[in-house]
Amino acid sequence: MTNHSSGSRNFWHLRREPLLPPQAPQVHSRDGYLRLCASELASLDWVLAHFIEDTRMDWMRCGAAEWSSVKDGQVLSLGWDWFQVGSQGACIDLPAGIRTNIQIRDRQGYDLPLPASQRHLLGAISRIPWHPAP
């Protein structure tokens, strides 16, 4: 803070650094999310980090999966819960949400709204061979 005197009055204000527009969109920020555009997300190679099945239920299979990738030295993560009822294929538990440190940005570098970002993340998950073995 700086103090500027003008006669008998003191004016206090915060000194702020000028906010310059970035030359390129941020890849990461203080909120912990790593920013990617949709094409960067689609080009990632994912590696299985964890795959857990909860065996306490007799009538359905369920568990959690987490996959990771590395881009520019940063570890990216995608995690979700899954379930399988009967002989049908396993499904992502969408109400539980996707756990990730990825935020999708648009072509101008702005964060996409959560629903749009989630659609891109679901697209990435659909390209991963994550389904449990029969």
Side-chain angles (χ1 to χ4, degrees):
M1 291 175 64
T2 58
N3 178 4
H4 296 282
S5 296
S6 173
S8 62
R9 298 172 127 192
N10 287 329
F11 297 96
W12 293 89
H13 64 75
L14 294 174
R15 177 178 290 166
R16 297 178 190 246
E17 297 297 320
L19 182 61
L20 301 174
Q23 298 302 316
Q26 280 185 300
V27 176
H28 58 85
S29 69
R30 293 181 189 156
D31 64 6
Y33 286 94
L34 302 170
R35 265 74 181 169
L36 300 175
C37 64
S39 62
E40 291 172 314
L41 177 67
S43 70
L44 293 174
D45 292 321
W46 295 96
V47 176
L48 179 63
H50 297 285
F51 193 87
I52 301 165
E53 183 169 355
D54 184 350
T55 59
R56 295 176 292 174
M57 295 188 194
D58 294 334
W59 59 278
M60 75 179 232
R61 296 174 70 186
C62 61
E66 182 178 1
W67 290 69
S68 64
S69 187
V70 177
K71 179 172 178 19
D72 299 330
Q74 299 289 325
V75 177
L76 303 150
S77 174
L78 272 177
W80 61 90
D81 296 335
W82 59 270
F83 65 93
Q84 180 178 5
V85 179
S87 61
Q88 295 182 351
C91 298
I92 297 171
D93 186 359
L94 291 177
I98 298 171
R99 296 175 294 280
T100 188
N101 63 345
I102 300 169
Q103 173 62 51
I104 306 300
R105 62 182 188 206
D106 65 17
R107 292 179 189 191
Q108 289 76 36
Y110 295 104
D111 289 354
L112 288 179
L114 184 60
S117 190
Q118 294 285 310
R119 282 192 298 276
H120 287 287
L121 295 171
L122 284 169
I125 292 170
S126 72
R127 293 185 291 274
I128 297 173
W130 66 269
H131 292 80

